[in-house]
Amino acid sequence: MSQAQLAATGREASPSAPTGPTGSRRRRHWREETAKVLFVVPAAFAIVVLFGYPVVKNLTMSFQEYTIRTFFTGEAPWVGITNYVTVISEDLFTKTVINTALFTVGSIVGQFIIGMLLALFFHRHFPLHGVLRALFLLPWLIPLIVGSAAWRAILDQDSGILNVALETLGFDPVPWLTSPDVALIAIILVNIWLGIPFNLTLLYSGLQDIPDELYEAGALDGATGWRAFWNITWPNLRAVVSVVLMLGVVYTLKVLDIILGLTHGGPANATQTIATQSYQRSFVEFKFGEGAALSNILIVISLAFAVVYLRVTRRQVDE
Amino acid sequence: MTTVAEVPDNRTADEQRRHQRHLMIRHTKDWIRMGLGIIFLVGMLFPVYWMLNISLQGSGTTLTSSVFPLHPNWDGYRTAIADQGGHLITSLIIAVGTVVVTLIIAAPCAYALAQFRFRWINWALLAILISQMIPGIVIANALYALYERLNLLDSIPGLIIANAANAIPFGILIMRSFMLGVPPSIVEAARVDGAGRFRAFLSIVVPISRNSLITVGLFSFLFAWSDFVFALTLTTKGTIVPVTLGIYTYLGAHVANWSPVMATAVLASIPAIILLIIAQRYIAAGAFGGAVK
């Protein structure tokens, strides 16, 4: 029985029918539609207030001189594209863009390769397989700021275990977080560490979804090892891979916790990204207009990746 | 008739020997893999271990600390609880509040998007997907201005609402993909018995979808518990301090004594550890939350 038929049955079985059959039916229909809409109203309201409003507000703020004074006077004069010109023409901007790109690409490449190797490793069954894989998730579940705190202790120039170990082995200590030359590398390494569990989990479930028969058939044709990976695993994993990479980029672009916790954007802006700059402008210098301009640039970059991702997945669905 | 026991009988002695050797090699490979797995895991979890280790070393400087906490010293935890105990409770209240708000708002919407026919459904899903890509700093930037006017800065409800912003789209996507599998006939059966749509939803759909509600509840708890961006930006006076902000403040001052910092970090990790132990099977489902397949 179709849903409509069942609904009709329900309608007739209902005892209350005060008006004539047509009027009652219309009213019931209207009531049904209202009830359906009521299910989505709270969420629609929440999404409009918590996403729609911020995106629009952020856009308007970026064209205003919106400072701490605005909160007292209520005045935020329109300044056109001045905020964008200000943030883009600064010397620092090029640096933050390069840092953002290096941080994102470095993190994604590292996380993905290690996550993929681990997913392939755990795809084989062996004793304690499930328990070990589950424990791998721990770094992902602890708050990012906790991860940064732990790494701050490890990377501390004077007392951190990493430099203590290096010195014991006869190497010079490395100023991991205090030298402009290495700080970016250090935060990328920490971010890779934090991103591995996410990549491992998604890629592992992707591997689980590939039917064993494909490998059996492949083995008959002589496709084993690397050839099985390139001819069977990789093509079948493509959808999951695109999800992992797209989400990875979107998450990495907006990272704030790790950078603020480890280096606070320093030393000498060596680890400053568009996201940390946006925070700095809005909440440290209270130049909300400039902060909004920077975060709008960040949204555009994120959405560009999202569009690419949606096109890729759509094409895969169409195939 | 072919039974398993008969198979070796059909083989020559040579084949049997080869089979034995094959099994033995496979067995050895299994143990090698397990060994490698443990080595990888030790590498991966070293920072977590080190955090625990330092938290138990009273003196705090890692130079003087040993590799194993053979003589655990609880001073770090005493200081951590004295300084940050209240912040842990603040975080707990915010996280529980976020779970409640998220489930109440997201579950009915997920059901509607899964089971009712709306013309704009694909647009709604696209909007939800995109909303997940909006950086937290954008939301914070705009909410700061709004909260300033509504007197929601430095308030627990303010932080609950902001954290629910992260969790609601995620929750809708997870619960919707689960609720697509709820057979409409059982809901209609309840409706025939006279239940309204909301009653049918509460008494039929919610119990069936329990697992997806748990998944979303756990993740929204973790999101709110780990939240740093909103804690940092939507509080100004230091009256409402979630524990993530507490750790950040600890890190801000040059750290002279690591053990209370690490003790706080350990305490702030406890929800994650509990989640890992009791809810491991929900995690893979949750990981896909960001992505509509």
Side-chain angles (χ1 to χ4, degrees), chain A residues 20-53:
Chain A
T22 5
S24 143
R25 188 160 300 169
R26 194 174 302 151
R27 217 166 73 193
R28 287 198 157 273
H29 177 75
W30 187 81
R31 240 170 54 190
E32 276 293 288
E33 290 302 307
T34 319
K36 277 172 153 189
V37 169
L38 283 178
F39 272 79
V40 291
V41 163
F45 180 74
I47 287 174
V48 167
V49 172
L50 296 170
F51 290 99
Y53 169 79

Side-chain angles (χ1 to χ4, degrees), chain A residues 187-208:
Chain A
I187 62 162
I188 291 173
L189 290 177
V190 173
N191 199 44
I192 289 175
W193 178 78
L194 287 162
I196 290 170
F198 173 77
N199 284 263
L200 167 62
T201 308
L202 263 71
L203 293 171
Y204 177 80
S205 13
L207 288 176
Q208 296 292 94

Side-chain angles (χ1 to χ4, degrees), chain A residues 133-138 140-141 197-198 201-202 205, chain B residues 170 174 211 214-215 218-219 222 271-289:
Chain A
R133 192 170 49 84
L135 287 172
F136 256 91
L137 301 182
L138 191 57
W140 178 41
L141 299 175
F198 173 77
T201 308
L202 263 71
S205 13
Chain B
F170 166 85
I174 294 263
N211 279 356
I214 294 174
T215 308
L218 291 170
F219 272 86
L222 272 190
I273 293 163
I274 294 174
L275 173 64
L276 193 63
I277 293 167
I278 62 166
Q280 203 263 319
R281 69 200 166 106
Y282 301 112
I283 293 173
F288 272 106

Side-chain angles (χ1 to χ4, degrees), chain B:
Chain B
M1 199 178 88
T2 49
T3 64
V4 182
E6 251 176 81
V7 175
D9 294 344
N10 298 336
R11 293 180 176 179
T12 65
D14 193 42
E15 272 178 339
Q16 276 190 37
R17 223 173 297 129
R18 217 180 307 160
H19 183 68
Q20 285 288 323
R21 240 189 67 191
H22 177 73
L23 275 182
M24 228 177 75
I25 290 173
R26 239 178 62 183
H27 213 66
T28 320
K29 273 189 174 170
D30 269 359
W31 290 105
I32 292 174
R33 287 212 179 91
M34 189 186 84
L36 276 175
I38 291 172
I39 293 169
F40 293 156
L41 184 68
V42 166
M44 187 71 184
L45 293 189
F46 177 78
V48 180
Y49 167 74
W50 201 245
M51 174 172 95
L52 188 66
N53 181 36
I54 296 182
S55 75
L56 291 166
Q57 315 261 351
S59 69
T61 59
T62 31
L63 273 179
T64 53
S65 67
S66 55
V67 178
F68 301 105
L70 294 177
H71 309 285
N73 178 322
W74 300 95
D75 287 351
Y77 283 89
R78 259 174 233 125
T79 316
I81 288 171
D83 289 359
Q84 310 265 9
H87 304 161
L88 285 162
I89 291 169
T90 305
S91 285
L92 189 67
I93 297 169
I94 292 170
V96 171
T98 305
V99 172
V100 172
V101 170
T102 302
L103 287 179
I104 288 177
I105 291 179
C109 178
Y111 173 65
L113 293 182
Q115 298 274 336
F116 303 161
R117 260 171 238 139
F118 295 114
R119 236 172 299 148
W120 36 263
I121 209 149
N122 283 325
W123 290 108
L125 288 172
L126 187 67
I128 293 167
L129 194 63
I130 288 176
S131 70
Q132 291 211 301
M133 295 167 189
I134 308 296
I137 188 74
V138 172
I139 298 167
N141 218 355
L143 283 189
Y144 186 92
L146 181 68
Y147 277 17
E148 161 80 29
R149 225 178 313 153
L150 299 176
N151 259 330
L152 279 171
L153 287 178
D154 297 294
S155 77
I156 285 180
L159 286 176
I160 290 176
I161 293 168
N163 282 309
N166 273 336
I168 288 171
F170 166 85
I172 293 174
L173 293 181
I174 294 263
M175 289 188 284
R176 174 180 176 271
S177 64
F178 188 91
M179 288 169 179
L180 284 171
V182 175
S185 55
I186 55 167
V187 180
E188 291 305 333
R191 308 248 302 128
V192 171
D193 292 341
R197 279 203 181 269
F198 285 101
R199 272 245 331 262
F201 170 72
L202 283 179
S203 57
I204 309 283
V205 180
V206 167
I208 293 183
S209 319
R210 199 183 56 221
N211 279 356
S212 67
L213 265 76
I214 294 174
T215 308
V216 170
L218 291 170
F219 272 86
S220 34
F221 184 94
L222 272 190
F223 289 163
W225 180 269
S226 334
D227 161 63
F228 172 71
V229 176
F230 296 132
L232 180 67
T233 53
L234 300 177
T235 63
T236 50
K237 297 191 198 109
T239 46
I240 301 291
V241 182
V243 71
T244 48
L245 194 56
I247 293 175
Y248 183 62
T249 318
Y250 258 167
L251 288 175
H254 183 73
V255 184
N257 186 351
W258 276 105
S259 77
V261 185
M262 292 296 112
T264 314
V266 171
L267 294 173
S269 306
I270 287 174
I273 293 163
I274 294 174
L275 173 64
L276 193 63
I277 293 167
I278 62 166
Q280 203 263 319
R281 69 200 166 106
Y282 301 112
I283 293 173
F288 272 106
V292 174
K293 286 210 281 183

